[in-house]
Amino acid sequence: MRSLKIVERFKSIQVHALSSSSETNGDSKTKPHNVNRHRTILSWSKSKFNNNNTTTSEFANLVSLQLPSTDTIEPSIEPYLKPINLVETLAELYQRIEFCSTQNEKVTLFVELFSVLYGLGDQKLLRRCLRNARQNAEDVISKVVLSAWLRFERRDDELVGVCSMDCGGYNVLECPKKNLENGFSPFSINDHCKCTQEEKKHENFDNDECVCLSDEESDVLFCVGNEEIKCVRWRIASLSEPLNAMLCGGFLESKMLKIDFSGNGLCSEGMKAVEFYSRTKRLDLFGPNTVLELLSFANRFCCEEMKSSCDSHLASVVGNVEDALILIEYGLEERAKLLVVSCLQIFLRELPNSLHNSKVINFLCSFESKEKLENLGCATFLLYYFLSQVAMEESMVSKTTAMLLERMKECAAEKWQKGLALHRLGCVFLERREYKEAQHCFDEAVELGHVYSIAGVARTKHKQGQPYSAYKLISSLIFEYKPVGWMYQERALYNMGREKGFDLDFATQLDPSLSFPYKYRALEKVEEKQIKEGIMELDKFLGFKLSPDCLELRAWLYIALDDYDSAIRDIRALLTIEANYITLHGRIKGECLVQILKSKIQKKNQADCWMQLYQQWSSVDDVGSLAIIHQMLENEPGKSLLEFRLSLLLLRLNCQKAAMRSLRLARNHSTSMQERLIYEGWILYDTGYRDEAVTRADRSIEIQKSFEAFFLKAYVLADTNLDPESSSYVIQLLKEALKCPSDGLRKGQALNNMGSIYVDCGKIELAKECYNNALAIRHTRAHQGLARVYHQKNQRKAAYDEMTMLIEKAESNASAYEKRSEYCDREMAKADLDVATHLDPLRTYPYRYRAAVLMDEQKETEAVEELTKAIKFKPDLQMLHLRAAFYESMGDLSSALKDCQAALCLDPSHAATLDLYQRIQKLNF
């Protein structure tokens, strides 16, 4: 009976396009209430602008824009693999990696792991997957692709003065020259690259070396045109078996002193080069054109050694995209694999810029080029996976993206590869509004076992006027599998009334990291003329996850309330995360909106901004801090110090990509080598090159002592388990930093860090002094360190009070509630942790604490369930480890084993999990 009612309701639904015209010109009988509410919102906004006597055309244009409505917004279909049970998928992958026997298979498995983990958005985790794949690569094409991918993830293309083919000297895994060497060398994967030193030695050797020619007399002449080239018969014959048969066998040429060689595609200079090579085995004295002739000659007469030498030499001289476009055609024609791979390496290391070169795109996207590359073993799934990944980041709707995904699909061999390519193609076609093609791709992906693609099938059905079919499809999915948040979120799009609200509420309960339910509930409040309540709904989500789309929506709601200060704050914060963000479905650039809103607020000079930054920082107002730094950068464009501060704040807020972009800008805009080395050090540290980061800090200190150079070195060295001697050295570095000029914000951080090391060393009074000094310059987070000091002195009440002060001062205080729970009894701790979870449901410690309490009370099932509900939306290493330990104590060894394996996918070197895993293996077998 319930399904019959739903069918009747769906009969009256009209599919509405996203454009504003279809919103207002549709059948008025279909949804008059929604239209009226939408118009009311617009009239509020318009009347308020008119009341302020605003006459500028910018505001007139702004007023004419419509807010999104509950009928127009929808979540995107994510273009990556999304397993129904991530833990089981990770466990299976770990097991396959553990028992894998070949290097090539390991590469494929680590790339698969990268694909499975992509949805978590952890850049360091993804880099480790790519690095592990590169470590195990044997063939040159895999080495070239993975090395370029690692470079792209760091976005080295944005670093001024860095050539795409520069080695950097960091590690052999990313050296463009080492990439062209076949084979796997397990003992050198962690070595620093020395190719620059080798080049200098080679140059010196070439300069000192004279070409020593043999004293042998020539005994045969090769005639090319009008020229006669003197050659040594046996040396030419030794180049290949066919030449040996011709010159020393039973052919006429073996008796001839003059041989006409004019019809063999060689000019006289080419024949001279053959003769020279036959005696010296050298090619470095010849230009590329001559070597290409030799390559053709080597192919015609089966001179394998010469061909290999020509291939290697030409591969080494490819210097730019223009050269690569010419040479790759020769390489394909002459089947010179190393040359072809070297040309591909140029294209890949120039990404994303090479995607804007029409000749490069024509080559990479064409089916014919793919076929030619495939004949040489170069058209791999990995190649087109990387290319399509970059293209999707550039534009989801471009023809280039679609064509590269087609090539990716054609090269896919395994089920997961085909499923990923088809799912991504479906997402691209969906964005392009080519719904039939999108549905076809999603259907194929589902057949290959990618269950999440069912959401794509449902969405395309809905777009084609089949909402009930979409509803049934997602409902059957919910009944068939253990429900996860995205399933209920998707079904809500095709549901109505209270049931729609129920689905969205349950989606939030299952996965609070989904932003769409919050946005929908906020707009629902707005349509009921409750704009403040709508803002409060968005506040809940933005309190623990900075989402550009939520910041944008909240800004528009603030505009509707005439609160332009709050609106511009949110837009500025948004632009620090996505600098080129375009609001309202591509209608206004974020920077333009800032300029429009600036006329409605009080102007601030740079001194006022610094004062406000101190205030925001001390009150732990993250969004406010981002906004004020954006404004300061507007006042002083290219100020590297501010860009560096912005990167630190973004990194703390887990906006890793945005943080690295700001750090690169700081490096590019640095005014001295001493400053530039510091920012390069932070980039190296954040991408896993700790030793190189310390080296950069030392070089900076040699040029000029500075707070940031000492702080960088201390921070990197402290990122290990410090012994007493190392701790003393780090403390000394921080003391040196504090002697150098800097502002209170940074000195407060240094004092806080020093206090933490003192506590670890048991020097409680010195730690207390550091924290008090930090608080004196308004470093509010020092309350947490001071609480730790009191706790060490068994003064729990004082520790609790200290954390209470932090809670009262901080805007973002979920972590403070979490920390305060350590300094009170169990009931008060549970209450604090419940508040922490309410404020930030992505924090994992509260779930682990509650689970441990339940385990102490011998409520094993409830303890496991407490962890499981969090693991479903955040597969955290610590939670997986704890649940594995619970399973072990319950005797469920198979479940414990899976959790350990999944955890080790996230961190293969986690000692506690490795110990538990080995113990369970012994018990299980």
Side-chain angles (χ1 to χ4, degrees):
M1 293 298 292
R2 182 176 179 272
S3 62
L4 287 174
K5 290 178 182 177
I6 291 173
V7 172
E8 290 303 314
R9 289 185 299 172
F10 272 106
K11 285 180 180 177
S12 65
I13 289 182
Q14 179 181 347
V15 179
H16 296 275
L18 288 176
S19 66
S20 58
S21 59
S22 65
E23 295 284 325
T24 55
N25 297 334
D27 183 359
S28 61
K29 294 179 181 179
T30 306
K31 49 172 191 170
H33 186 51
N34 283 350
V35 173
N36 289 336
R37 284 186 295 176
H38 197 56
R39 287 175 178 168
T40 305
I41 295 166
L42 292 176
S43 65
W44 289 344
S45 180
K46 189 168 184 178
S47 64
K48 289 180 178 179
F49 280 116
N50 290 338
N51 289 340
N52 289 326
N53 298 316
T54 302
T55 58
T56 62
S57 61
E58 289 88 352
F59 272 111
N61 291 334
L62 190 63
V63 170
S64 67
L65 293 169
Q66 294 181 357
L67 286 171
S69 73
T70 52
D71 296 318
T72 60
I73 64 166
E74 62 182 26
S76 61
I77 301 294
E78 304 293 353
Y80 47 75
L81 293 180
K82 187 176 280 196
I84 288 291
N85 191 324
L86 181 59
V87 172
E88 284 189 7
T89 303
L90 290 176
E92 182 198 352
L93 261 172
Y94 184 82
Q95 198 168 12
R96 286 161 60 198
I97 292 169
E98 194 176 22
F99 295 106
C100 179
S101 57
T102 67
Q103 300 305 131
N104 284 335
E105 191 182 349
K106 276 189 178 179
V107 172
T108 304
L109 288 170
F110 279 118
V111 173
E112 184 178 355
L113 180 61
F114 169 89
S115 306
V116 169
L117 294 173
Y118 190 83
L120 300 183
D122 188 330
Q123 298 304 309
K124 289 185 178 180
L125 193 57
L126 297 177
R127 272 198 298 271
R128 187 169 66 226
C129 291
L130 292 175
R131 187 177 172 81
N132 285 337
R134 172 61 186 88
Q135 285 177 347
N136 287 281
E138 289 182 304
D139 59 295
V140 289
I141 185 65
S142 295
K143 290 180 179 182
V144 160
V145 173
L146 290 163
S147 175
W149 205 332
L150 283 163
R151 182 180 190 276
F152 176 77
E153 288 297 320
R154 284 201 310 273
R155 295 310 300 259
D156 283 4
D157 59 287
E158 294 181 3
L159 296 177
V160 173
V162 174
C163 173
S164 64
M165 294 303 287
D166 283 350
C167 170
Y170 308 148
N171 189 284
V172 294
L173 296 180
E174 296 190 46
C175 173
K177 292 182 176 64
K178 295 294 181 183
N179 290 337
L180 299 177
E181 296 177 5
N182 268 304
F184 170 65
S185 178
F187 302 108
S188 65
I189 54 177
N190 294 316
D191 291 349
H192 289 273
C193 188
K194 299 175 182 176
C195 69
T196 309
Q197 299 170 21
E198 289 170 2
E199 271 182 17
K200 289 179 181 177
K201 286 181 182 178
H202 186 66
E203 285 173 11
N204 294 333
F205 177 76
D206 284 349
N207 292 335
D208 296 339
E209 184 189 21
C210 62
V211 179
C212 297
L213 300 178
S214 172
D215 292 334
E216 290 179 278
E217 290 188 11
S218 61
D219 54 2
V220 64
L221 296 174
F222 282 86
C223 302
V224 180
N226 296 323
E227 285 201 53
E228 295 179 349
I229 295 93
K230 296 177 181 180
C231 299
V232 178
R233 184 183 295 273
W234 76 266
R235 288 192 179 277
I236 300 295
S238 68
L239 293 176
S240 73
E241 288 186 12
L243 287 172
N244 183 57
M246 181 181 78
L247 296 173
C248 302
F251 290 91
L252 286 175
E253 286 85 356
S254 64
K255 309 293 183 185
M256 297 168 64
L257 296 179
K258 280 187 180 182
I259 300 172
D260 186 5
F261 229 55
S262 297
N264 287 289
L266 273 178
C267 67
S268 58
E269 291 302 318
M271 192 61 222
K272 289 175 184 177
V274 171
E275 187 277 331
F276 185 81
Y277 177 82
S278 72
R279 288 182 291 124
T280 64
K281 298 295 186 283
R282 289 183 60 176
L283 295 169
D284 54 304
L285 300 181
F286 304 110
N289 289 336
T290 302
V291 180
L292 282 170
E293 278 195 75
L294 294 189
L295 177 62
S296 180
F297 174 88
N299 264 329
R300 188 175 296 110
F301 290 98
C302 304
C303 307
E304 294 304 323
E305 184 184 357
M306 180 188 279
K307 178 181 178 179
S308 178
S309 298
C310 292
D311 195 5
S312 297
H313 178 78
L314 288 168
S316 69
V317 300
V318 185
N320 54 54
V321 171
E322 288 70 27
D323 291 346
L325 283 166
I326 296 168
L327 289 171
I328 198 167
E329 295 295 345
Y330 283 106
L332 289 170
E333 185 179 338
E334 300 295 344
R335 297 187 60 78
K337 183 173 181 178
L338 211 57
L339 173 57
V340 170
V341 172
S342 181
C343 294
L344 287 173
Q345 180 167 239
I346 293 284
F347 300 152
L348 297 179
R349 293 178 74 90
E350 287 282 350
L351 289 170
N353 297 327
S354 54
L355 286 183
H356 303 292
N357 184 317
S358 59
K359 292 180 181 178
V360 174
I361 287 305
N362 289 339
F363 176 83
L364 292 174
C365 291
S366 76
F367 179 79
E368 292 76 14
S369 295
K370 193 268 296 183
E371 291 287 291
K372 291 177 183 178
L373 289 170
E374 198 166 36
N375 290 333
L376 269 183
C378 296
T380 62
F381 171 81
L382 187 60
L383 170 65
Y384 288 104
Y385 186 5
F386 175 37
L387 287 168
S388 61
Q389 174 74 31
V390 178
M392 288 176 73
E393 290 189 23
E394 290 290 294
S395 170
M396 277 288 287
V397 296
S398 72
K399 186 179 178 182
T400 296
T401 302
M403 291 175 72
L404 287 172
L405 284 168
E406 288 284 359
R407 303 291 85 81
M408 177 183 169
K409 180 186 70 174
E410 291 159 5
C411 293
E414 300 186 16
K415 280 180 67 176
W416 75 267
Q417 294 175 345
K418 293 175 184 176
L420 175 60
L422 285 161
H423 179 75
R424 288 191 155 189
L425 258 177
C427 292
V428 168
F429 285 133
L430 183 62
E431 289 290 319
R432 290 163 64 96
R433 301 187 181 184
E434 298 173 22
Y435 300 128
K436 286 184 179 179
E437 292 84 352
Q439 184 179 338
H440 177 70
C441 289
F442 286 132
D443 275 327
E444 285 193 57
V446 172
E447 288 176 14
L448 288 163
H450 189 231
V451 177
Y452 176 60
S453 293
I454 293 175
V457 177
R459 192 72 64 88
T460 54
K461 284 178 177 289
H462 177 60
K463 296 289 186 184
Q464 295 174 85
Q466 305 169 44
Y468 180 57
S469 179
Y471 176 87
K472 285 199 301 181
L473 196 58
I474 299 299
S475 292
S476 65
L477 187 65
I478 290 170
F479 295 136
E480 187 175 350
Y481 296 95
K482 288 184 179 178
V484 287
W486 64 261
M487 295 179 185
Y488 282 90
Q489 173 180 269
E490 190 66 26
R491 191 173 73 171
L493 295 177
Y494 322 124
N495 220 328
M496 300 178 68
R498 290 183 179 179
E499 290 184 7
K500 189 183 192 85
F502 167 79
D503 277 351
L504 289 173
D505 290 344
F506 199 48
T508 298
Q509 185 180 331
L510 290 171
D511 186 353
S513 68
L514 297 171
S515 65
F516 174 75
Y518 294 90
K519 289 168 63 179
Y520 184 90
R521 287 189 291 263
L523 285 171
E524 203 172 34
K525 296 287 185 186
V526 170
E527 290 173 354
E528 294 168 359
K529 300 185 180 180
Q530 299 177 31
I531 298 182
K532 289 183 179 178
E533 287 77 3
I535 290 172
M536 289 170 64
E537 184 65 30
L538 293 171
D539 288 344
K540 293 176 189 175
F541 187 77
L542 291 167
F544 63 87
K545 189 174 181 180
L546 280 186
S547 167
D549 56 339
C550 286
L551 281 169
E552 180 201 351
L553 180 55
R554 191 171 71 173
W556 286 110
L557 300 190
Y558 278 127
I559 289 172
L561 290 177
D562 262 0
D563 188 350
Y564 303 119
D565 283 297
S566 296
I568 199 170
R569 177 204 63 197
D570 280 357
I571 296 296
R572 286 189 182 281
L574 181 161
L575 290 171
T576 63
I577 302 169
E578 288 190 27
N580 299 316
Y581 193 90
I582 302 179
T583 67
L584 278 179
H585 298 292
R587 281 179 276 181
I588 302 181
K589 287 184 177 180
E591 289 291 354
C592 293
L593 186 54
V594 168
Q595 295 306 314
I596 293 170
L597 292 171
K598 275 171 66 176
S599 63
K600 301 295 291 183
I601 62 172
Q602 185 178 354
K603 293 182 180 179
K604 295 187 182 75
N605 59 33
Q606 202 71 338
D608 294 333
C609 289
W610 272 109
M611 291 292 290
Q612 189 174 346
L613 180 59
Y614 268 90
Q615 182 181 345
Q616 308 283 21
W617 199 277
S618 61
S619 63
V620 197
D621 179 359
D622 297 325
V623 173
S625 298
L626 288 175
I628 199 65
I629 294 176
H630 183 272
Q631 184 173 353
M632 294 168 79
L633 280 167
E634 192 178 74
N635 295 339
E636 290 186 78
K639 184 76 171 178
S640 57
L641 171 67
L642 294 172
E643 287 162 339
F644 175 57
R645 297 296 173 84
L646 182 58
S647 74
L648 295 175
L649 181 55
L650 287 166
L651 203 59
R652 197 179 77 220
L653 295 171
N654 203 32
C655 301
Q656 295 179 28
K657 281 193 173 183
M660 293 304 293
R661 185 186 66 245
S662 293
L663 200 48
R664 288 190 295 271
L665 286 171
R667 181 263 185 200
N668 289 344
H669 293 142
S670 54
T671 55
S672 67
M673 178 56 71
Q674 174 265 335
E675 185 185 13
R676 176 173 164 176
L677 287 166
I678 293 166
Y679 302 143
E680 286 182 354
W682 280 111
I683 291 171
L684 289 164
Y685 170 73
D686 286 331
T687 50
Y689 294 105
R690 294 179 67 258
D691 294 340
E692 290 81 356
V694 172
T695 301
R696 290 292 198 281
D698 285 335
R699 286 174 58 191
S700 180
I701 291 167
E702 285 175 11
I703 296 171
Q704 181 183 341
K705 292 181 178 180
S706 69
F707 173 91
E708 293 299 350
F710 282 117
F711 187 89
L712 167 63
K713 186 173 182 179
Y715 192 92
V716 175
L717 293 176
D719 188 23
T720 53
N721 293 321
L722 293 174
D723 54 42
E725 186 179 348
S726 300
S727 297
S728 298
Y729 183 55
V730 171
I731 287 170
Q732 188 57 43
L733 287 170
L734 289 171
K735 286 181 177 178
E736 289 295 325
L738 289 166
K739 292 177 185 176
C740 301
S742 188
D743 58 77
L745 296 177
R746 294 298 285 152
K747 291 203 171 186
Q749 186 64 61
L751 287 164
N752 198 60
N753 290 9
M754 194 188 301
S756 178
I757 298 170
Y758 274 135
V759 172
D760 292 338
C761 296
K763 299 177 180 179
I764 305 302
E765 291 305 318
L766 289 172
K768 184 178 180 180
E769 182 183 349
C770 285
Y771 290 129
N772 280 324
N773 288 339
L775 285 171
I777 50 178
R778 299 174 68 183
H779 188 79
T780 308
R781 288 184 177 83
H783 281 296
Q784 184 170 317
L786 203 53
R788 189 180 169 203
V789 166
Y790 289 131
H791 181 63
Q792 292 283 322
K793 297 168 77 172
N794 292 320
Q795 299 175 9
R796 294 188 73 195
K797 177 65 169 62
Y800 182 90
D801 291 342
E802 201 67 39
M803 290 308 301
T804 302
M805 282 190 273
L806 177 56
I807 288 168
E808 291 169 351
K809 291 181 182 179
E811 292 280 337
S812 305
N813 54 19
S815 62
Y817 276 104
E818 182 182 294
K819 198 67 182 175
R820 191 175 71 171
S821 69
E822 298 178 20
Y823 310 130
C824 54
D825 60 44
R826 177 171 286 189
E827 289 305 314
M828 292 175 70
K830 285 175 69 176
D832 272 355
L833 291 174
D834 287 344
V835 173
T837 298
H838 175 73
L839 294 172
D840 183 355
L842 302 186
R843 301 191 72 84
T844 61
Y845 175 75
Y847 299 98
R848 287 186 279 129
Y849 179 90
R850 288 189 289 264
V853 169
L854 289 166
M855 205 67 179
D856 287 344
E857 296 171 352
Q858 297 184 342
K859 297 176 180 178
E860 296 174 337
T861 305
E862 292 88 339
V864 168
E865 183 54 38
E866 179 67 23
L867 293 173
T868 301
K869 70 180 181 184
I871 288 171
K872 280 183 178 179
F873 61 83
K874 188 169 184 180
D876 173 75
L877 172 67
Q878 298 289 345
M879 286 197 290
L880 286 166
H881 172 78
L882 184 58
R883 192 172 71 172
F886 287 177
Y887 278 134
E888 183 201 21
S889 69
M890 295 161 65
D892 188 351
L893 298 183
S894 63
S895 296
L897 206 62
K898 285 180 182 178
D899 277 356
C900 284
Q901 289 166 337
L904 291 171
C905 274
L906 302 177
D907 185 357
S909 60
H910 191 250
T913 304
L914 282 169
D915 290 343
L916 179 59
Y917 182 50
Q918 290 162 6
R919 188 168 71 243
I920 294 169
Q921 281 182 312
K922 289 176 183 177
L923 292 171
N924 207 27
F925 301 107

